[in-house]
Amino acid sequence: MHITRSRPASKQGPAENFTGTVWLDEIAHPEPPSRIRVFSVHFAPGSHTAWHRHPHGQVLHVTEGEGFVQRDGGPVEPIRAGDTVWIAPGERHWHGAGPRTFMTHLAVVEAADDGATVTWEELVPDPEYPPTS
């Protein structure tokens, strides 16, 4: 057993991967052979990710606020505190806060053999966010 009593400083999400103000806190990054990574991600109103994929999928658990998630070709889905979202391996998607509230979620991913946890793609175009649905 290992108890972590301190963690890395919060990092601002880079502009090439996020629109708006987003902060990432690494919650867990266990030593190998574990490949699990856990982050708490804090989105300011209207902030969101770029399109992206995860090699082994992703679990999002919303801990506060309201937001949206969308998979490529699917409808924009509202999410709120208490919701859990499973995103399949390789599924192209984005997620973020609603236009009027902050949104925080825990993001759980499994790293690939090479250590990669995400493949970033283009930003969601401004006319498509915030969604009107």
Side-chain angles (χ1 to χ4, degrees):
M1 181 185 321
H2 177 80
I3 298 173
T4 302
R5 302 213 186 270
S6 64
R7 63 181 189 214
S10 297
K11 294 182 181 177
Q12 192 162 11
E16 60 268 19
N17 301 334
F18 298 93
T19 298
T21 303
V22 178
W23 289 91
L24 304 125
D25 288 297
E26 185 178 71
I27 302 299
H29 185 153
E31 304 240 345
S34 177
R35 298 189 304 184
I36 292 175
R37 306 292 182 270
V38 182
F39 297 88
S40 181
V41 187
H42 313 273
F43 295 86
S47 298
H48 53 280
T49 68
W51 286 101
H52 62 286
R53 305 169 193 264
H54 301 279
H56 294 290
Q58 181 181 50
V59 173
L60 302 176
H61 180 75
V62 182
T63 59
E64 105 179 285
E66 297 177 346
F68 299 101
V69 63
Q70 182 181 28
R71 65 180 176 175
D72 195 15
V76 174
E77 299 283 352
I79 54 176
R80 61 190 48 85
D83 289 352
T84 301
V85 180
W86 163 245
I87 297 153
E91 186 169 61
R92 185 173 188 257
H93 68 285
W94 60 259
H95 38 95
R100 297 179 310 275
T101 65
F102 284 83
M103 192 269 290
T104 301
H105 65 53
L106 296 176
V108 182
V109 295
E110 180 182 354
D113 291 337
D114 66 0
T117 59
V118 62
T119 301
W120 290 105
E121 299 180 10
E122 75 276 7
L123 294 173
V124 176
D126 285 341
E128 294 179 23
Y129 201 96
T132 56
S133 56

